[in-house]
Amino acid sequence: MRILFTLVFFLIAMPLEAKEVKVKAINLEPVASEKVVLTIKTQENSIATYSHPQIEAIGLKQMVTTTFWPEDYGEFDGVLLRDLLGHAGIEKSSQIKVTALDGYTALIPREDWQKWDVLVATRHEKKMIPIRRKGPLRMIYPKDIGGKMAASDMRIRWIWAIKTIEPVF
Ligand SMILES: Nc1nc2c(c(=O)[nH]1)N[C@H]1C(S)=C(S)[C@@H](COP(=O)(O)O)O[C@H]1N2
Ligand SMILES: [Mo]
């Protein structure tokens, strides 16, 4: 009886807790745009600027997950936050401050990019993301893993319309 109970418990709990979110490299035709869409503060007096194709050149990855919003799920493409910060040389900062086009700001702790595959999405279903759909750049966490990643207090870190990133040491 006890064994049966345990088995039933695991069968119910498994799909909720042990889901996997796969991240794989993908190749897509670069978009023709040289417009700067992202500015990263790299040091006290220096910045790095990125166009859409420059971001994707860092290493385009595909991730499939749901989000916290209705009709907002599926394939997201972009670069791992870890790779982007590494490219700018600020991956060792203890936090980053992310500012969006609407003035929204949020802090993201280093643990997030070290421990999790957090994506800075440049595309949804392979297409550039318009501002009204939370683009052109937005954070996508691997929510379907479950646990902490699916906790609704994580939503404050799902910044959309990302404009600038700066290290907080
Ligand atoms: N650019 C931007 N991103 C943002 C926000 C915002 O106001 N602007 N709000 C954050 C917070 S606090 C939450 S809870 C969710 C809110 O998403 P919703 O307004 O679509 O429910 O997005 C996050 N990302
Ligand atoms: Mo929120």
Side-chain angles (χ1 to χ4, degrees):
M1 191 58 200
R2 183 115 146 244
I3 289 170
L4 189 69
F5 187 83
T6 308
L7 188 72
V8 169
F9 174 81
F10 275 107
L11 284 176
I12 293 169
M14 238 168 56
L16 295 174
E17 279 305 323
K19 263 176 90 174
E20 201 188 343
V21 171
K22 287 208 183 81
V23 175
K24 63 174 195 190
I26 183 173
N27 262 312
L28 295 172
E29 189 68 33
V31 297
S33 171
E34 282 166 28
K35 202 179 120 198
V36 169
V37 290
L38 175 69
T39 301
I40 300 185
K41 187 174 174 188
T42 52
Q43 276 165 30
E44 200 40 51
N45 291 308
S46 56
I47 55 165
T49 59
Y50 295 87
S51 65
H52 197 279
Q54 283 172 328
I55 295 168
E56 294 189 341
I58 294 168
L60 201 55
K61 300 280 184 336
Q62 177 197 80
M63 185 162 100
V64 177
T65 186
T66 63
T67 71
F68 288 102
W69 299 277
E71 292 171 37
D72 186 37
Y73 51 83
E75 176 188 335
F76 294 95
D77 307 301
V79 297
L80 292 174
L81 179 58
R82 186 188 305 130
D83 295 346
L84 177 66
L85 299 181
H87 189 270
I90 60 165
E91 76 282 8
K92 299 227 161 63
S93 61
S94 63
Q95 300 180 80
I96 51 165
K97 182 180 166 192
V98 183
T99 305
L101 292 168
D102 60 349
Y104 177 83
T105 65
L107 291 171
I108 294 182
R110 181 170 59 206
E111 181 195 40
D112 284 17
W113 65 84
Q114 284 191 334
K115 205 165 159 187
W116 312 98
D117 287 336
V118 180
L119 195 74
V120 179
T122 54
R123 308 196 196 203
H124 184 207
E125 301 296 339
K126 298 191 170 68
K127 292 198 277 291
M128 279 178 80
I129 314 168
I131 290 185
R132 65 172 196 287
R133 300 292 310 262
K134 306 189 191 298
L137 300 172
R138 60 179 293 202
M139 294 294 174
I140 300 289
Y141 279 74
K143 176 173 171 282
D144 290 351
I145 287 174
K148 186 189 171 198
M149 285 297 108
S152 75
D153 57 5
M154 288 297 288
R155 290 193 313 176
I156 57 170
R157 301 183 195 166
W158 286 62
I159 307 126
W160 64 79
I162 296 167
K163 189 176 80 171
T164 63
I165 296 176
E166 56 186 287
V168 180
F169 288 96

